[in-house]
Amino acid sequence: MSAQNINFGLKGGLNLATLDNNQDNNIQNRIGFHGGLFANIPVSSQIAIQPEVVYSSQGAKYDVGNEDLNLTLNYVNIPLMLQAMVGRGFYAQAGPQLGILTGVADKVNDTEIGAVTIDDFKKTDVALGVGLGYKGLSGFGIDARYNFGLTNINNSTSANIKNNVLQIGLVLQLGGTGRR
């Protein structure tokens, strides 16, 4: 494997995030976004390793009485995906992800209330990502991934809270063909 085979790229798109909470079934998806950089490192003609650095706006929405609460959890995620080609340009992917919490905001009816702080959450999160994607000959493609939270991110109560995020986005692999 030589450095010439490594291709760098950009990715970004939509998040549908929620929090898996063992005490509350009133949690709804929150729409957010993600964007970042990746390096695609071919191991063979059918397998590649893809480390990434991705900013991700996560969290959840929920109702308390007549109030609509929107909790935003911002992360810098570092996934390490193993990609396997499954057809002409199509790939399956899976791998671990480390998340670093960078910010928290909570709003009621679009007004920030500040009742929840960054200290209420653990600074790191571990997830398992699985997904599918397609990269065309131009390096442009689409990517869909579900990140299953593996660790409790809650610092403040006995509730066990895990991040779960569906990410759908576009990828642009620079400096070479998108297909192996």
Side-chain angles (χ1 to χ4, degrees):
M1 180 170 51
S2 71
Q4 297 173 25
N5 294 335
I6 299 174
N7 291 297
F8 296 94
L10 308 168
K11 68 180 298 180
L14 176 74
N15 284 352
L16 290 175
T18 190
L19 296 173
D20 181 8
N21 181 344
N22 65 347
Q23 296 182 345
D24 187 354
N25 295 325
N26 196 25
I27 296 175
Q28 303 162 16
N29 286 330
R30 178 186 177 279
I31 297 173
F33 64 92
H34 67 278
L37 307 169
F38 65 85
N40 189 274
I41 307 165
V43 176
S44 73
S45 63
Q46 299 296 311
I47 303 292
I49 296 171
Q50 184 163 297
E52 302 175 0
V53 176
V54 180
Y55 177 84
S56 184
S57 179
Q58 300 174 189
K61 292 172 78 174
Y62 50 100
D63 298 326
V64 176
N66 293 333
E67 305 288 330
D68 294 325
L69 283 86
N70 186 348
L71 175 63
T72 302
L73 301 173
N74 295 316
Y75 284 89
V76 171
N77 290 325
I78 306 167
L80 181 61
M81 304 304 289
L82 179 65
Q83 294 182 337
M85 298 303 294
V86 293
R88 194 166 187 89
F90 291 93
Y91 58 88
Q93 59 185 337
Q97 172 178 279
L98 174 65
I100 301 166
L101 184 63
T102 61
V104 173
D106 60 335
K107 295 181 179 181
V108 173
N109 299 329
D110 295 326
T111 302
E112 188 151 347
I113 58 173
V116 179
T117 69
I118 198 166
D119 293 329
D120 293 324
F121 297 93
K122 294 180 180 167
K123 304 303 182 249
T124 59
D125 178 33
V126 176
L128 173 64
V130 295
L132 299 171
Y134 173 81
K135 286 184 204 163
L137 289 173
S138 66
F140 184 75
I142 58 172
D143 186 79
R145 182 182 305 165
Y146 196 87
N147 295 313
F148 295 92
L150 299 177
T151 55
N152 180 10
I153 62 168
N154 188 7
N155 244 0
S156 61
T157 67
S158 62
N160 187 4
I161 300 173
K162 296 178 182 177
N163 280 306
N164 288 318
V165 184
L166 172 64
Q167 295 180 319
I168 301 170
L170 301 175
V171 296
L172 177 59
Q173 186 166 299
L174 306 170
T177 177
R179 293 187 185 166
R180 293 185 286 283

